[in-house]
Amino acid sequence: MRKPVAKASAQPTGEEHWAQKGDVRLYLWRKRIAPAQAGAPLVLVHGSSLSALPSYDLQVPGHPDYSMMDWFARQGYDVWTLDHEGYGRSTVTERNADIACGVEDLRVAVRLIRQVTRARQVAMYGLSSGSLRAGAYAAAEPDAVSHLVLDAFVYTGEGSPTLAKRKEGLGFFRTHSRRPIDRDFIMGIFTRDQPGTTEPAVAEAVAEAQLVYGDSVPTGTYLDMTQNLPVVDPRAIRARTLIVRGEHDGIAALEDLLEFFRLLPVSDKQIAVLPGLAHSTQLGVHRHRMWNSVHAFLRRDA
């Protein structure tokens, strides 16, 4: 990848794109400072409870620099994200939008991104169940992904207190395609592991941004994470891989990550445990620790 050119004084611009997956319209959002200089387009994949823009392009009044898309665009990247089926501005269906569904979303989205950018490959970052989607896609389409970042990832789920608690809802996840969310639930994402790792105003802004899209999200990723793990085969991944874990994350157990890391066949692989961060590293007080780790990993080939 070519060395990124920082353009701190310029403002990233955004543009909407839409991709068609059968009867589902998928919303894509792109930000960059044209022309981007950092090689492969960077695709950010959201998790189970928050859609794309609250996750990666959050604007918080009085609290600048919470958009991961803007920060990477300023480093020279062409940054993309998407709402998966059943989330955000994409089509809501009766399906539960599980990990396999997310892989199909990424197939369609990456095809469009490659057409628009003329890039041969993409770099991909996924958070929580987004890392499962990203990892499963990279395993299924090894020629499409140059660099893979798995943040808050789970392999077997062994040793995860959050997933052990979540299994109490397994009966509901099996029988319903959507689950309810509200302000208190969203705020709890940022306090359940280690209070103080995220500013309260940021959690409030996330809740406000997410609830614009309604009071429910699909159950499929929760079902996969409580019943069907593992859903990513490390032996099938060929991309350079970085595994990231917030120090206080209650989902990504370190021993589970180390076993996945051991099984990766690629020689170019790294794992990073980042202090002062919990599950949602991209929105934490110390989010730049994750952003800079990912940036250093992507630009190392320059």
Side-chain angles (χ1 to χ4, degrees):
M1 300 175 72
R2 297 188 303 277
K3 186 175 181 180
V5 177
K7 301 181 180 181
S9 61
Q11 291 302 314
T13 57
E15 57 190 53
E16 295 180 3
H17 293 263
W18 293 88
Q20 197 72 31
K21 185 189 73 168
D23 60 345
V24 173
R25 291 189 81 212
L26 296 174
Y27 171 75
L28 286 83
W29 179 238
R30 179 192 197 186
K31 294 195 97 170
R32 59 181 175 146
I33 298 174
Q37 301 293 321
L42 174 60
V43 182
L44 309 180
V45 187
H46 72 73
S48 296
S49 300
L50 303 177
S51 52
L53 300 191
S55 296
Y56 299 126
D57 198 16
L58 187 70
Q59 309 298 327
V60 186
H63 297 264
D65 198 25
Y66 271 94
S67 168
M68 185 172 174
M69 296 189 79
D70 283 353
W71 191 88
F72 274 90
R74 290 191 182 102
Q75 313 315 310
Y77 294 87
D78 185 354
V79 193
W80 294 72
T81 190
L82 71 149
D83 284 330
H84 285 278
E85 178 180 330
Y87 290 88
R89 295 182 62 184
S90 291
T91 304
V92 175
T93 68
E94 295 300 315
R95 294 183 285 270
N96 71 355
D98 60 7
I99 299 301
C101 176
V103 171
E104 293 307 311
D105 294 342
L106 289 173
R107 279 197 173 100
V108 172
V110 170
R111 189 179 306 128
L112 182 144
I113 292 167
R114 292 168 74 179
Q115 288 172 353
V116 170
T117 64
R118 300 177 183 267
R120 188 176 67 85
Q121 294 180 304
V122 300
M124 191 169 286
Y125 164 95
L127 175 70
S128 192
S129 66
S131 67
L132 295 177
R133 294 183 181 107
Y137 173 79
E141 301 286 348
D143 294 333
V145 181
S146 62
H147 294 69
L148 176 66
V149 183
L150 304 175
D151 190 353
F153 180 75
V154 289
Y155 178 35
T156 68
E158 191 70 29
S160 169
T162 301
L163 292 185
K165 175 68 175 176
R166 191 174 293 173
K167 285 181 180 179
E168 296 173 6
L170 188 54
F172 182 88
F173 307 147
R174 286 171 173 161
T175 56
H176 295 75
S177 64
R178 297 185 71 82
R179 56 185 171 86
I181 60 170
D182 57 18
R183 176 190 172 278
D184 289 343
F185 172 84
I186 294 172
M187 297 292 288
I189 295 172
F190 302 100
T191 58
R192 69 190 180 206
D193 295 328
Q194 182 72 21
T197 53
T198 302
E199 296 182 77
V202 173
E204 291 276 8
V206 172
E208 182 177 346
Q210 179 60 39
L211 293 173
V212 167
Y213 301 119
D215 60 359
S216 68
V217 291
T219 57
T221 58
Y222 268 32
L223 181 62
D224 279 338
M225 294 172 79
T226 54
Q227 175 179 276
N228 299 324
L229 292 175
V231 295
V232 180
D233 180 3
R235 301 170 187 85
I237 290 175
R238 297 292 179 265
R240 300 174 177 89
T241 303
L242 168 65
I243 299 173
V244 178
R245 178 185 183 269
E247 173 191 12
H248 302 292
D249 188 3
I251 285 186
L254 183 56
E255 291 301 319
D256 196 37
L257 296 180
L258 289 172
E259 178 61 14
F260 184 89
F261 182 83
R262 183 184 70 81
L263 293 171
L264 285 169
V266 295
S267 58
D268 193 344
K269 56 185 178 180
Q270 302 175 40
I271 189 166
V273 178
L274 303 177
L277 290 167
H279 185 64
S280 298
T281 59
Q282 88 287 15
L283 295 171
V285 173
H286 300 296
R287 60 201 176 280
H288 290 90
R289 291 174 180 167
M290 185 273 283
W291 293 355
N292 278 295
S293 294
V294 174
H295 179 37
F297 170 68
L298 295 179
R299 74 176 181 178
R300 197 191 54 209
D301 298 334

